[in-house]
Amino acid sequence: MLFLSLGNLQAQDQYSYKAAYQLEFQEDSTDENSIKSETGVLYLSEEQSRYSSLGKAIKDSLENMTNPVVMRMDEYNQMTDFKYAIYKDYQENELILAEKVFQYELKYKQDLKQIDWEIQQENKEILGFKVQKATGNFAGRNYIAWFAPELPFSDGPYKFGGLPGLILEISDLKNHYHFSLTAFQELVNPVDKVLNLDNYKTVSQQELDQVRDDYNRDPIGTMQKAGIKFGWSEEDETKTRKELNEKYKKRNNPIELQP
């Protein structure tokens, strides 16, 4: 049994709870079989949270080691399709999304409360927690969320939050993006809140989205403009460009349809 008490929520400089989510998403809006899956991790404290894919968290850990692990670009890219981290500050009512796109370290800030939820009377149970239904619209999609009032965090995966309890499950009506809680735990060893984004340039969401899209459309060209040389034959470069272009075309169903 897990017992939570507001009075026991830990120090402001540490995350004391962790929620793990399984995300299933349809990468190609025209292909219902293009379903992919990733694990997301939400670290929580009384006043703040940090969300990222598990692949992003592992990548950061490897890069921050005393002796960083050297990996090829394709190995890093295979870790996750989502390379951002999202920080929420409940006291400041602020959300920060930070992402490194190639050599560009970028971030943008938003109001934390972005969804006008309608709480419904319907209830069910998820992993032993009694949850209640809520509906709302965010960034061009209509969502159904299930939140647990007994877990005192007005938070959830990705940018979702604002309900009187932790969101344990949320999906849009087309089920193109479906987050499901797989585990919730109090950490025996709380995680330090390492947040140093001073080197990240503040831009708008539209600007960051554009930089990411430009890089995903032509990563080879972006790197070549930066002076990186691959030593490929013309045939190999043409083949690689074609493969990357096909992958880019299939990645046409972002979670946010509108900024």
Side-chain angles (χ1 to χ4, degrees), residues 19-27 34-42 51-59 75-85 99 157-158 170 176-183 247 251:
Y21 294 87
Q22 190 70 19
L23 166 62
E24 292 189 348
F25 63 100
Q26 185 174 321
E27 183 179 48
S34 62
I35 304 298
K36 300 182 73 174
S37 180
E38 283 208 30
T39 299
V41 182
L42 177 65
Y51 174 82
S52 74
S53 66
L54 179 60
K56 160 71 173 170
I58 292 173
K59 177 177 178 290
E75 292 175 319
Y76 269 130
N77 287 338
Q78 289 170 13
M79 285 186 172
T80 180
D81 284 315
F82 307 100
K83 300 174 176 62
Y84 51 75
E99 182 172 359
Y158 191 58
I170 183 167
H176 283 184
Y177 283 82
H178 190 143
F179 297 84
S180 302
L181 184 80
T182 58
K247 182 178 180 180
R251 190 79 190 272

Side-chain angles (χ1 to χ4, degrees), residues 3 8 17 20 26 47 89 121 178 204 209 211 225 231 233:
F3 296 93
N8 291 330
Y17 296 88
Q26 185 174 321
E47 297 181 347
D89 189 319
Q121 295 301 313
H178 190 143
S204 67
D209 289 347
V211 171
K225 288 179 181 178
S233 67

Side-chain angles (χ1 to χ4, degrees), residues 97-138:
L97 184 146
E99 182 172 359
K100 185 175 182 180
V101 183
F102 181 42
Q103 61 184 354
Y104 308 108
E105 296 180 327
L106 305 172
K107 64 183 177 183
Y108 63 78
K109 298 181 181 181
Q110 291 181 329
D111 187 343
L112 193 59
K113 298 176 182 178
Q114 301 184 56
I115 306 174
D116 291 326
W117 294 105
E118 292 187 11
I119 297 177
Q120 312 294 327
Q121 295 301 313
E122 191 175 345
N123 295 280
K124 67 177 184 178
E125 191 173 285
I126 297 176
L127 297 182
F129 297 105
K130 183 178 179 181
V131 295
Q132 189 168 351
K133 184 178 180 180
T135 57
N137 178 277
F138 174 68

Side-chain angles (χ1 to χ4, degrees), residues 175-193:
N175 208 35
H176 283 184
Y177 283 82
H178 190 143
F179 297 84
S180 302
L181 184 80
T182 58
F184 181 85
Q185 65 182 118
E186 181 176 3
L187 299 172
V188 176
N189 298 308
V191 175
D192 290 337
K193 297 178 185 176

